[in-house]
Amino acid sequence: MSDVKNILLVGVGGQGTILAGKILSNGLLGAGYDVKMSEIHGMAQRGGSVSNQVRYGQKVYSPIIDKGQADILVAFETMEAVRWAPFLKKGGLLVVNDYRIPPAPVLTGSLDYPEGLLEALAAQTPTTVIKAAEIAEGLGNGKAMNIVLFGALIKQMDLADIDWEAQIRANVKASFVDLNLRAFKAGRDAA
Amino acid sequence: MKKLLTGNEAIALGAIEAGVVYAGAYPGTPSTEILEILGSHPRSEIIAEWAPNEKVALESAIGASVAGGRALAAMKHVGVNAAADPLLSFAYSGSNGGLVLVSADDPGLHSSQNEQDNRHYARLAKLPMMEPADSQEAKDMVRAALELSEKYQRPVLLRTTTRINHSKSVVDSGEKIRPPKRPYERQPRFNLVPAVSKQLHVDLEARMLELAAHSEESPLNFIEWHDRKIGVVAAGAAYQYAREVFGEKASYCKIGFSYPLPLKKIRGFAEQVETLYVIEELDPFMEEQIKAAGIKCLGKDLIPICDELAPSVVAKALLGVEPEMVKLEVQAAPRPPTLCAGCPHRGFFYQAGKLKDVVLTSDIGCYGLGGSPPLNAKDTCICMGAASSLGHGAQKTFDFFGEKKRVVANMGDSTFFHTGLLGLMQTVYNNSPVVTCILDNRTTGMTGHQENPGSGFTLQGDQAPVLEIEPLVRALGVRHVKVVNPLDQKAMKEALEWALAITDAPSVIITRWPCVLKRLSRADREEFGDYFHRCEVDTPACVGCRTCVRTGCPALRFDKAAKKTRIEPSQCVGCEICLQVCPKSAIRAVKKGGN
Ligand SMILES: Cc1ncc(C[n+]2csc(CCOP(=O)(O)OP(=O)(O)O)c2C)c(N)n1
């Protein structure tokens, strides 16, 4: 059995999954793990579904997380949790943002945004729901939503010996460090 | 120092460490970042340039090699098609300074129009090829490829795939070298005339035999012994997937130098395992050569030829096992990419989509999204630069059969510079009334806003002469040319009507307005002003007719229950297209205070 752990961050282009993935993977690298991270660029940036896949352990081979493999799935948008749920392993942890970004067919009224998603997810796998948008807006900037979710993820990960605050300092713009540190703490407290 | 780098970052670092003096590319996912990174280095260290297209990029890199410097060209897989002409002939000449061509393939079509397997180019052009399986190998192979290129006078193909280009893994940086410039001498091999090439072909075949021997000895091809019941031959990402699936329950013949293949090494490996699998993405490139050498193996009889591989795909094909997954009753709605709120292309497509009896030939770029619902304004998209030329052939054929159809072609500014202008030349030279619309958003949008010959800047940030499209189009011989602001719906509609009324000659409409995501230059600000504000719906006046949402703007929300449209203030930039199309004048512009 391989010791490799798989963390899958998913959302919609522009939500900041890439920054969260970067802080996570740099922290893991600093702690001595072998790390691989995959992200998809290109078309998806124009409002499409995006994923950021982080794998770590003693030795990592495949750069991608496959179906049925993720130990933790962090969904930055509610419907994306549903889209990517098949990538969770049986009993894997789901951290889901209670936040909707309607896709084009819903905006134009040709499809409905499906209801009852959080309940359906919680019925199938251990689920933590975070209102990250509200929390981030409460801190003064909705954009810090990604770091709130990152804080919630870290709480689930049991990697207390890594200095995440230092990683946040190293990876975000100086003027946003304070906001992001508060967002990180708020996310941890909320999870 | 250990760092997490993407394959593209690693390739760029490899080029810097190995003393590449000239790097050229035309953008294309998943290769784009290689040159973006090299472009951030000073000109004293490396010359890094965007070319108008891949053929030009490779030819300039060839020039650098001929002159005696180390050179690199990078492109996406279909870009190599555009560059195939110089590639196949320079293979005869051979390099002077080392030359590496990075071909970034896209199995799985994450952002491409086809899924071609460019390993075939190695065989077709008779080039040595290397395939990295992670970022460290990507970096090391750039250096190895340049050294090999100089030793054997061959350009070398470094073939990557999306998962290698865009995945991060640990890289140890190395020392930087600056190899001395190789002398330039006039040599017959750089002047390909039939008598010369005839002999060069003979030499080339001899070189390939030497390279086959080199491949047998190359440390890039190695064997990892574990359990010998199963043996796996694999390269690139497929090796990582195989390693993931079989672990130590199989032995591996890991291929890094993949053309010419080390067939003796593979034969020796095959003899010591019970079952030999060749695990590769896309075509049976290695498998066919291994089988032709009389070595028994299994591959594409079991492993799919289409789409990218993943560990689960390999496991299902070879072990018949499928992963256990979380299963849900509910389903996610699709989330297709869309034109951004404020995208100037929307103004064109909204009007073009309403034209009757027209065929809309399009091309490849953000404007390709004009074909998605609700705009649905696209008939064709084949390859970069085809809109006018394909449109020309279609128009001539409709006319031949007396069919009353008109062709309206569209392409972006970067696509026009790439090869689109040649198609336009065709409509002039062989006269057809194709209406060519050049959607000039002042940047290369789709691949992330690279500078181009029309943008006024080079990759390394120097000011460049602005290639103006209108005089260029006139110089090509187009007599009917109009420039419009595509956000002005009346002007856009009238321009299309004006052009369609011209039935005996080609015409051009240039829609000129910057991409909403572009960082505006000083010249842009002077020309377009600071146009950002926003729009809002006068809710009581909205009758719920949904005309506005048919523009496909993601800032508009239609509330089915209330039968009203709402505009999401955080997304609206005030392009005012919805305002203009609303039949009830229920949308108004509100100026943003401050900026
Ligand atoms: C031969 C080839 N090279 C590169 C690409 C990648 N590519 C797709 S769209 C595009 C840019 C198009 O820019 P532009 O024509 O200005 O249109 P925009 O995206 O700005 O609308 C590029 C480089 C490709 N598909 N084919």
Side-chain angles (χ1 to χ4, degrees):
Chain A
M1 243 341 253
S2 133
D3 69 324
V4 173
K5 291 260 184 281
N6 303 293
I7 313 292
L8 182 55
L9 311 172
V10 303
V12 176
Q15 274 196 295
T17 52
I18 290 186
L19 176 65
K22 189 173 164 192
I23 298 172
L24 177 62
S25 48
N26 282 336
L28 293 165
L29 180 71
Y33 291 102
D34 186 24
V35 182
K36 284 192 179 174
M37 173 167 109
S38 273
E39 53 198 41
I40 282 298
H41 306 222
M43 291 280 263
Q45 285 175 324
R46 306 277 174 273
S49 166
V50 294
S51 74
N52 199 285
Q53 324 193 349
V54 179
R55 311 193 69 217
Y56 67 99
Q58 214 165 6
K59 171 86 187 141
V60 181
Y61 289 97
S62 165
I64 54 169
I65 297 177
D66 216 326
K67 291 203 171 119
Q69 241 191 354
D71 296 277
I72 306 181
L73 169 63
V74 186
F76 286 45
E77 197 273 350
T78 307
M79 196 168 69
E80 292 310 310
V82 174
R83 191 182 319 283
W84 290 90
F87 285 77
L88 261 180
K89 67 162 62 149
K90 267 245 133 68
L93 304 181
L94 171 66
V95 176
V96 53
N97 191 6
D98 184 4
Y99 181 72
R100 294 177 169 198
I101 301 178
V106 172
L107 296 178
T108 57
S110 61
L111 283 179
D112 290 317
Y113 194 104
E115 294 297 331
L117 299 184
L118 293 172
E119 297 73 14
L121 288 160
Q124 293 303 324
T125 206
T127 299
T128 307
V129 179
I130 306 279
K131 291 186 182 300
E134 267 174 39
I135 295 174
E137 269 154 32
L139 298 172
N141 189 338
K143 287 236 162 79
M145 188 160 79
N146 58 345
I147 304 301
V148 173
L149 288 161
F150 177 68
L153 165 67
I154 294 303
K155 172 85 167 286
Q156 312 284 337
M157 274 180 71
D158 185 31
L159 283 166
D161 45 340
I162 297 176
D163 186 351
W164 293 107
E165 299 201 349
Q167 287 299 331
I168 292 173
R169 276 180 226 279
N171 286 290
V172 308
K173 270 208 206 112
S175 52
F176 289 110
V177 165
D178 179 55
L179 169 73
N180 281 312
L181 289 178
R182 284 185 292 133
F184 177 65
K185 184 171 180 305
R188 265 207 313 207
D189 293 347
Chain B
M1 202 180 85
K2 280 191 192 310
K3 269 188 156 174
L4 268 183
L5 299 183
T6 63
N8 284 345
E9 289 166 337
I11 289 170
L13 180 62
I16 291 292
E17 287 182 0
V20 166
V21 290
Y22 184 91
Y26 179 71
T29 316
S31 70
T32 311
E33 299 84 6
I34 299 171
L35 260 280
E36 287 183 326
I37 296 160
L38 292 176
S40 67
H41 286 261
R43 268 170 291 131
S44 54
E45 191 170 19
I46 187 169
I47 305 156
E49 299 178 342
W50 291 129
N53 69 31
E54 292 87 350
K55 177 176 187 286
V56 174
L58 178 60
E59 287 160 347
S60 297
I62 287 173
S65 162
V66 168
R70 287 193 163 177
L72 175 145
M75 52 201 65
K76 73 184 276 146
H77 60 340
V78 289
V80 180
N81 301 337
D85 196 1
L87 181 65
L88 269 78
S89 291
F90 190 61
Y92 278 48
S93 298
S95 44
N96 182 24
L99 175 66
V100 56
L101 169 61
V102 182
S103 165
D105 293 11
D106 190 19
L109 300 105
H110 295 280
S111 37
S112 302
Q113 70 268 37
N114 80 18
E115 196 174 29
Q116 70 186 53
D117 186 334
N118 274 11
R119 292 178 300 168
H120 295 295
Y121 271 113
R123 222 172 162 187
L124 179 64
K126 301 179 195 286
L127 303 176
M129 171 166 63
M130 297 179 185
E131 289 182 75
D134 60 27
S135 298
Q136 181 73 51
E137 288 191 359
K139 188 194 78 121
D140 294 345
M141 281 183 186
V142 172
R143 172 91 157 253
L146 289 162
E147 285 167 1
L148 188 85
S149 173
E150 285 167 2
K151 179 162 180 212
Y152 290 91
Q153 290 188 350
R154 303 279 78 221
V156 177
L157 195 63
L158 183 68
R159 190 262 192 173
T160 59
T161 56
T162 298
R163 297 302 186 178
I164 301 301
N165 297 97
H166 284 170
S167 295
K168 289 193 178 188
S169 56
V170 182
V171 175
D172 236 335
S173 51
E175 39 143 13
K176 249 189 233 179
I177 55 159
R178 171 70 73 197
K181 180 186 172 294
R182 297 166 76 88
Y184 171 77
E185 283 162 56
R186 181 181 281 187
Q187 291 177 57
R189 68 182 172 108
F190 296 131
N191 180 15
L192 297 178
V193 294
V196 170
S197 299
K198 216 178 180 109
Q199 183 54 44
L200 287 175
H201 188 186
V202 176
D203 300 347
L204 175 52
E205 296 301 335
R207 273 288 142 82
M208 288 317 281
L209 293 179
E210 288 171 33
L211 281 160
H214 180 103
S215 178
E216 299 291 351
E217 304 304 321
S218 170
L220 302 177
N221 297 325
F222 57 87
I223 292 175
E224 259 179 65
W225 288 117
H226 305 287
D227 194 304
R228 300 192 180 204
K229 267 199 220 51
I230 294 172
V232 171
V233 178
Y239 161 76
Q240 305 289 8
Y241 303 153
R243 198 67 187 64
E244 190 82 24
V245 170
F246 292 105
E248 302 198 341
K249 294 202 185 79
S251 294
Y252 302 86
C253 181
K254 154 79 166 76
I255 305 293
F257 190 120
S258 58
Y259 196 76
L261 270 181
L263 285 167
K264 287 199 192 101
K265 182 170 261 166
I266 293 170
R267 189 186 308 280
F269 179 69
E271 279 163 3
Q272 298 185 55
V273 298
E274 279 176 35
T275 309
L276 183 68
Y277 290 130
V278 180
I279 302 180
E280 54 192 330
E281 237 164 6
L282 302 176
D283 294 343
F285 177 79
M286 296 194 289
E287 182 186 339
E288 283 177 352
Q289 296 177 66
I290 292 169
K291 281 186 170 156
I295 302 164
K296 245 181 80 184
C297 62
L298 287 168
K300 292 294 160 180
D301 337 71
L302 302 168
I303 299 164
I305 204 163
C306 301
D307 209 344
E308 67 175 341
L309 296 183
S312 62
V313 177
V314 174
K316 186 174 171 206
L318 300 182
L319 302 175
V321 295
E322 290 194 61
E324 261 199 291
M325 291 180 267
V326 171
K327 291 215 171 67
L328 295 170
E329 296 294 311
V330 286
Q331 261 199 343
R335 193 183 290 281
T338 55
L339 293 176
C340 304
C343 174
H345 296 340
R346 177 171 289 107
F348 167 77
F349 286 109
Y350 186 74
Q351 291 302 331
K354 293 205 287 193
L355 299 173
K356 295 276 174 300
D357 289 326
V358 299
V359 173
L360 296 165
T361 60
S362 187
D363 225 299
I364 300 172
C366 286
Y367 51 89
L369 296 169
S372 321
L375 291 163
N376 299 317
K378 179 165 79 171
D379 285 87
T380 69
C381 161
I382 307 290
C383 67
M384 279 196 95
S388 302
S389 33
L390 186 158
H392 173 80
Q395 185 70 68
K396 287 268 171 164
T397 304
F398 290 133
D399 293 351
F400 186 85
F401 288 102
E403 210 169 316
K404 293 264 165 284
K405 276 212 189 313
R406 286 295 297 280
V407 173
V408 177
N410 70 77
M411 68 186 83
D413 47 333
S414 181
T415 306
F416 178 68
F417 299 131
H418 180 275
T419 37
L421 81 165
L422 297 168
L424 182 61
M425 201 185 292
Q426 166 83 325
T427 70
V428 176
Y429 177 49
N430 288 307
N431 193 44
S432 66
V434 169
V435 179
T436 295
C437 304
I438 302 165
L439 310 184
D440 181 10
N441 60 0
R442 315 299 301 138
T443 189
T444 316
M446 175 111 274
T447 40
H449 307 97
Q450 292 76 26
E451 305 295 348
N452 69 40
S455 74
F457 292 94
T458 67
L459 170 59
Q460 284 178 308
D462 294 315
Q463 232 161 353
V466 175
L467 178 47
E468 288 291 352
I469 296 176
E470 187 186 352
L472 175 56
V473 162
R474 289 192 192 275
L476 290 175
V478 183
R479 283 177 291 121
H480 308 285
V481 185
K482 233 190 201 10
V483 182
V484 295
N485 173 356
L487 299 182
D488 181 340
Q489 288 295 280
K490 183 159 170 287
M492 191 67 247
K493 179 165 185 275
E494 285 172 2
L496 286 165
E497 286 166 357
W498 162 83
L500 286 167
I502 302 163
T503 56
D504 61 347
S507 57
V508 167
I509 299 171
I510 301 163
T511 69
R512 190 174 165 101
W513 197 262
C515 168
V516 63
L517 299 180
K518 185 185 177 189
R519 221 180 44 194
L520 298 183
S521 65
R522 171 134 33 110
D524 289 330
R525 276 182 200 286
E526 277 166 17
E527 181 177 350
F528 305 104
D530 208 355
Y531 58 91
F532 292 108
H533 56 280
R534 62 186 177 83
C535 293
E536 65 182 24
V537 177
D538 175 5
T539 307
C542 175
V543 295
C545 69
R546 294 204 215 179
T547 307
C548 56
V549 297
R550 281 195 283 274
T551 65
C553 177
L556 303 176
R557 309 278 138 105
F558 188 74
D559 181 339
K560 265 191 179 167
K563 293 208 171 54
K564 301 279 183 192
T565 295
R566 187 176 67 79
I567 298 176
E568 172 59 39
S570 67
Q571 288 208 31
C572 177
V573 299
C575 75
E576 298 188 9
I577 289 185
C578 58
L579 179 155
Q580 296 168 69
V581 305
C582 175
K584 296 287 171 196
S585 304
I587 299 177
R588 58 182 170 234
V590 278
K591 299 285 168 202
K592 257 184 200 162
N595 61 1

